[in-house]
Amino acid sequence: MKGTLKKIRQNSIIKFNLVYIVYSEADKESASLANAWNCPVLSNDSDFFIYDIQEGYISVNSFCWDSKPLTANIFKARNLADHLKIPRSFLPLAGSLMGNDYISQEMLDPFSHSLNRIQTPKKLSKKASRFISIGNFLSGFKTLQDAIEKVLSMYPKGKLEDMQHCLNCSLEEYDISFQSSLIAYFNDGKVTSLFMSMGDLGITKWFLEKFRQGLFPAQCMSCLTTHKQFLRVQVENIEEMSANRCSLKLRKVIYSILFGCKMPLEEEVGRQMTLEERKPVDMKSSTHETVMNPQTFHRVSEFGRDKKKLKEKNVEPYCEFVSKEKPFPSLVTIPKLSESEKHDFLLSILECKASNLLNKLERKFQMLVATIIFWIKSALPRVNKQYLEALLVSILKLDEASKMKVDKIFTARPPFDLNAAHSYAQWQCVLSEAMKLNFILGEPLSTPFVPKVYCGTMVQQTLHVIKQGKKLI
């Protein structure tokens, strides 16, 4: 659902020709940009209560979208500080002591034990009560440094250093006294970033521009900079392997492109790096493909489901040649490839050999058919023929934007087939990774809009009809 809503939002932004930017964690930049433009921030992130935004913060929940004129509640940091009877400069510490991306609740345990002794009104929620307690605690100090030292004094030596480091990082995150780097982007289209790939290499310019425009998967940027990937869990049969296992090859191909793999692993192992390879490469200006030693970097930590447990697994990129003459493309070489080269490469990865037949289909169906072929070849357990029929019929019906003929024979609540749901989850994983790869390559195939091609409820209904032997049309 989250991915679908994100795609709908992105399509709407493009449709209305709005200027926007993708910036991963953008709280600090957004707050700084709001001050530069003398406007409030509209968001659903409570961190904006803490930032010293001159024109304030508007919570999405308080925004009246259907009112004329539009109305909303505007919250300002100075009013919050006055309510808590603390200086405005204390708010970043208050936000940090509530817990955030830098400071976990577990890390706050020593402080929380002391905080629990402060009484608050019983009618408040647990979160509000804690915030009031923190405000009461901070109101007893004259300077911010005194309050910080008191908090740190609650930590034993074994935990003090970590807490001090995380607290410094958290307080720095709330500092918006700098000029946002996004101003240059909106004013002049200039793309800047502090993102670095593993090994402190810069990010190649075209890739960064696509990412900023929302045309490059955010998960790929995260993977490039951290070598970590968190695999989403869908409605699956937990007794079977994770549905993400079906798309493993596609993820390995993506890793190969992101990290510039140039040689098969078996040919690299044991080979000494040359002096040229040891030199750091600036991807912003380099015209050469980056060559990296698999002994030092060729791994991505994937976190995914194994039965009911979350497990980490190290995954090697798929560093094999499509042919001996044509190695995998990289972030450096992709802009140099022709559309036909990108198209043929994508179909070869999806193991779709019938490219001539695929080209006879409407463009909107080509990606779907290619991923279904890959799904059939890779799925475990194997794809049931009825599952395939139900999926194909559903895609066609959704494309027609009329389900009337099918609805007449649907039961209100068809039995839920868990094994079918698991199989469809595998196809969705394949489709998701194939779409990422398609974006990386500059969309040689038309990218489908998922809500218009897949509906889990409809597929289950269609499958139920097929099992009963009824005609669908």
Side-chain angles (χ1 to χ4, degrees):
M1 178 62 73
K2 182 179 179 181
T4 298
L5 292 175
K6 181 178 179 181
K7 185 66 178 176
I8 291 173
R9 182 183 66 216
Q10 184 184 33
N11 284 1
S12 299
I13 288 172
I14 294 172
K15 177 181 177 180
F16 293 106
N17 197 29
L18 299 177
V19 179
Y20 73 106
I21 190 169
V22 175
Y23 201 86
S24 190
E25 285 294 328
D27 295 358
K28 185 173 182 176
E29 288 283 348
S30 298
S32 178
L33 193 62
N35 278 346
W37 286 350
N38 296 315
C39 67
V41 169
L42 174 66
S43 176
N44 61 352
D45 191 331
S46 59
D47 273 342
F48 286 108
F49 285 114
I50 306 299
Y51 286 105
D52 190 12
I53 304 169
Q54 299 306 309
E55 296 302 320
Y57 159 58
I58 300 175
S59 171
V60 170
N61 296 330
S62 76
F63 196 90
C64 300
W65 301 93
D66 55 353
S67 66
K68 294 182 180 180
L70 295 175
T71 61
N73 295 325
I74 299 181
F75 302 91
K76 297 189 176 181
R78 58 178 175 270
N79 295 338
L80 177 59
D82 291 343
H83 178 74
L84 295 175
K85 295 181 173 58
I86 61 175
R88 202 186 312 176
S89 60
F90 280 31
L91 285 178
L93 179 57
S96 301
L97 296 177
M98 281 292 291
N100 54 25
D101 292 341
Y102 293 94
I103 305 176
S104 67
Q105 292 300 322
E106 182 181 358
M107 186 173 287
L108 287 169
D109 279 347
F111 170 73
S112 298
H113 291 324
S114 300
L115 191 66
N116 290 338
R117 304 185 190 122
I118 300 176
Q119 298 298 315
T120 56
K122 293 182 179 179
K123 63 180 180 179
L124 295 176
S125 67
K126 186 176 180 180
K127 191 171 184 180
S129 178
R130 178 181 174 85
F131 194 68
I132 293 294
S133 295
I134 291 173
N136 291 339
F137 167 79
L138 295 178
S139 65
F141 298 93
K142 292 183 178 180
T143 68
L144 179 61
Q145 188 58 39
D146 288 342
I148 292 173
E149 289 177 0
K150 179 60 178 179
V151 171
L152 294 177
S153 70
M154 301 175 186
Y155 285 78
K157 287 185 178 180
K159 297 181 178 180
L160 177 59
E161 188 175 344
D162 285 345
M163 178 58 184
Q164 190 169 17
H165 172 72
C166 292
L167 184 57
N168 288 338
C169 291
S170 180
L171 294 176
E172 184 180 346
E173 179 65 22
Y174 291 115
D175 178 13
I176 56 172
S177 57
F178 67 99
Q179 184 181 44
S180 172
S181 62
L182 300 183
I183 294 176
Y185 173 81
F186 286 111
N187 290 346
D188 308 315
K190 184 179 179 181
V191 177
T192 59
S193 174
L194 297 178
F195 283 134
M196 300 293 286
S197 65
M198 294 291 280
D200 291 332
L201 298 177
I203 307 297
T204 189
K205 185 178 179 180
W206 77 267
F207 169 82
L208 191 56
E209 288 176 343
K210 291 288 186 182
F211 175 71
R212 286 282 182 260
Q213 295 165 7
L215 301 176
F216 208 99
Q219 299 94 326
C220 291
M221 177 63 84
S222 177
C223 186
L224 182 63
T225 55
T226 68
H227 277 223
K228 293 180 181 179
Q229 179 84 299
F230 290 87
L231 307 178
R232 291 182 179 178
V233 179
Q234 302 183 80
V235 178
E236 304 175 20
N237 185 345
I238 60 173
E239 299 304 320
E240 299 287 355
M241 289 188 297
S242 168
N244 288 292
R245 180 66 180 79
C246 190
S247 58
L248 176 61
K249 175 186 173 182
L250 300 183
R251 294 198 304 278
K252 294 176 75 170
V253 169
I254 291 173
Y255 301 156
S256 298
I257 293 174
L258 293 178
F259 306 140
C261 296
K262 190 173 181 180
M263 300 179 67
L265 288 177
E266 58 269 22
E267 294 184 22
E268 283 276 346
V269 174
R271 186 180 68 85
Q272 296 296 316
M273 294 183 73
T274 66
L275 290 175
E276 186 64 27
E277 291 172 16
R278 289 196 185 102
K279 294 179 180 178
V281 180
D282 182 358
M283 294 182 74
K284 293 178 180 177
S285 58
S286 174
T287 57
H288 301 288
E289 185 172 2
T290 306
V291 184
M292 300 188 183
N293 187 344
Q295 292 175 306
T296 59
F297 107 103
H298 274 168
R299 283 181 186 157
V300 175
S301 294
E302 288 191 345
F303 297 83
R305 178 184 70 82
D306 184 359
K307 302 292 184 179
K308 294 183 180 180
K309 296 182 179 180
L310 177 68
K311 287 197 174 180
E312 177 183 3
K313 183 179 180 182
N314 289 325
V315 176
E316 305 257 346
Y318 188 82
C319 294
E320 294 182 6
F321 285 87
V322 178
S323 69
K324 290 188 176 181
E325 295 77 25
K326 294 184 178 181
F328 263 46
S330 71
L331 292 181
V332 175
T333 61
I334 283 176
K336 304 172 186 176
L337 299 178
S338 66
E339 288 303 309
S340 62
E341 287 176 321
K342 296 175 184 177
H343 179 272
D344 293 346
F345 173 78
L346 180 57
L347 292 186
S348 69
I349 295 302
L350 291 173
E351 301 178 17
C352 185
K353 297 179 181 179
S355 57
N356 291 334
L357 293 176
L358 195 68
N359 290 335
K360 293 180 180 179
L361 295 173
E362 291 184 66
R363 276 183 56 82
K364 61 183 177 182
F365 290 125
Q366 291 178 3
M367 168 74 82
L368 297 174
V369 172
T371 55
I372 288 172
I373 291 172
F374 186 92
W375 169 52
I376 293 171
K377 291 181 178 181
S378 306
L380 287 174
R382 310 306 299 178
V383 177
N384 183 295
K385 183 180 178 182
Q386 290 183 331
Y387 298 170
L388 176 60
E389 291 174 354
L391 177 61
L392 293 174
V393 169
S394 297
I395 289 174
L396 292 174
K397 285 296 176 183
L398 284 171
D399 180 64
E400 293 171 2
S402 171
K403 304 187 287 291
M404 188 176 297
K405 292 182 180 179
V406 180
D407 286 344
K408 287 181 179 179
I409 54 176
F410 280 162
T411 57
R413 291 181 178 273
F416 177 73
D417 190 324
L418 178 59
N419 290 328
H422 184 84
S423 189
Y424 294 135
Q426 293 185 66
W427 173 67
Q428 290 176 79
C429 289
V430 170
L431 179 61
S432 175
E433 300 302 334
M435 287 171 62
K436 291 178 191 175
L437 183 55
N438 193 42
F439 273 121
I440 293 172
L441 294 170
E443 294 191 271
L445 292 180
S446 178
T447 301
F449 184 39
V450 177
K452 290 189 176 181
V453 298
Y454 182 77
C455 171
T457 302
M458 185 178 184
V459 173
Q460 288 279 350
Q461 290 172 329
T462 306
L463 178 61
H464 181 62
V465 172
I466 291 175
K467 287 180 177 179
Q468 290 182 321
K470 296 180 180 179
K471 292 184 178 180
L472 291 167
I473 299 176

